[in-house]
Amino acid sequence: MAEEVKVFRSWSSPFPLRVIWALRLKGVKFDVICEDLFNKSPLLLQYNPVGKKVPVLVHNGKAICESLVILEYIEETWKQTPLLPEDPYQKANARFWAKFSDDKVLQSIKWDVLLKEGKEQEEGILASLQNLRYLEEELRGKKFFGGEAIGLADLALGWLAYYLNILEEVAGLKLVDQESFPSLVAWMQEFANAPVVHGSWPDRDKLTEKFVAMREASLGKETHK
């Protein structure tokens, strides 16, 4: 009997992309179900009644939620092409940077830069730059966070390779450049060009429009059509 593997995603969220990239790396065949998060399907609510959000991985009828949890499940279920190293310290380090992506990097750039202005945004920029410097230091001398191959931390932080430039454009500023962040820029280019990543990004114009609307709504401005 063939395995049933389904990924529930939305068109714009970066979190399901982590799951899609991981499954591609592992060579696992899967189906994608694209959800409208403003009109969630009964199936999504059935599989994720607590969070009511994407991504959800359904494996032979069993649902796993939250992208980083799903990555761990994928790693333990399909052993080929490991996402984590064998060494316990290196494994813990990869998990640290994956969590750092969500707790620090994404939070500061999205909530404190994109959706703020004035002094609050200035503080968000400083925090974001510090978080990005930590990534630059960790990547120095390496192709990927774990070395020569894409791993857990790369999948977690992979959104930077596409979304960051759009967020910068919408916010009207530049956080990352070649001079200040050479290792991070090289990593973003390397990750974006990886075969498992190619062709997976959302439409840039639609994503830009979405982030513009989010920023204007957050700042109390009327969205211009």
Side-chain angles (χ1 to χ4, degrees):
M1 183 178 173
E3 278 190 308
E4 176 202 38
V5 183
K6 297 178 181 177
V7 179
F8 285 76
R9 65 168 297 182
S10 66
W11 75 267
S12 62
S13 173
F15 300 110
L17 291 177
R18 298 168 168 175
V19 179
I20 289 169
W21 296 331
L23 291 171
R24 286 181 176 180
L25 273 173
K26 298 280 188 179
V28 177
K29 293 183 179 180
F30 61 96
D31 295 318
V32 173
I33 300 169
C34 199
E35 285 283 333
D36 177 0
L37 297 184
F38 293 100
N39 184 25
K40 297 171 185 176
S41 73
L43 208 53
L44 176 64
L45 299 178
Q46 173 191 325
Y47 283 130
N48 190 4
V50 178
K52 301 179 176 62
K53 61 183 180 180
V54 295
V56 177
L57 175 72
V58 179
H59 181 213
N60 294 334
K62 296 179 180 178
I64 305 95
C65 307
E66 298 294 335
S67 63
L68 295 183
V69 176
I70 295 171
L71 292 184
E72 295 277 359
Y73 178 86
I74 290 171
E75 176 71 346
E76 293 180 15
T77 303
W78 294 282
K79 303 297 185 183
Q80 65 271 26
T81 318
L83 305 178
L84 286 165
E86 286 294 323
D87 180 75
Y89 173 76
Q90 292 177 356
K91 191 176 293 186
N93 197 48
R95 288 174 171 141
F96 170 84
W97 290 112
K99 195 169 187 301
F100 185 77
S101 170
D102 290 359
D103 292 352
K104 297 293 185 180
V105 184
L106 183 59
Q107 289 292 319
S108 63
I109 293 174
K110 180 180 178 182
W111 298 107
D112 299 330
V113 176
L114 177 68
L115 303 182
K116 295 288 194 304
E117 62 182 349
K119 190 174 188 303
E120 285 184 317
Q121 188 190 54
E122 289 174 10
E123 292 172 353
I125 291 169
L126 290 175
S128 296
L129 287 172
Q130 183 58 63
N131 292 332
L132 292 166
R133 287 189 196 102
Y134 289 136
L135 299 182
E136 173 70 17
E137 187 64 31
E138 179 64 19
L139 278 166
R140 192 158 295 157
K142 295 189 292 187
K143 185 176 180 180
F144 295 108
F145 279 91
E148 288 300 307
I150 291 174
L152 183 81
D154 302 286
L155 297 175
L157 286 153
W159 62 271
L160 282 166
Y162 186 74
Y163 287 73
L164 177 61
N165 182 253
I166 300 173
L167 292 167
E168 289 174 326
E169 181 183 312
V170 173
L173 49 82
K174 193 69 178 171
L175 294 172
V176 171
D177 57 44
Q178 177 69 42
E179 184 178 354
S180 301
F181 296 94
S183 299
L184 186 57
V185 168
W187 169 82
M188 289 193 293
Q189 293 171 345
E190 195 75 46
F191 185 85
N193 290 329
V196 296
V197 175
H198 184 72
S200 62
W201 302 116
D203 181 82
R204 184 183 178 89
D205 290 341
K206 281 181 65 180
L207 206 54
T208 301
E209 186 178 318
K210 174 178 175 157
F211 288 143
V212 166
M214 286 174 60
R215 177 167 170 79
E216 291 180 341
S218 176
L219 302 180
K221 299 175 182 177
E222 184 180 352
T223 304
H224 299 289
K225 296 295 185 182

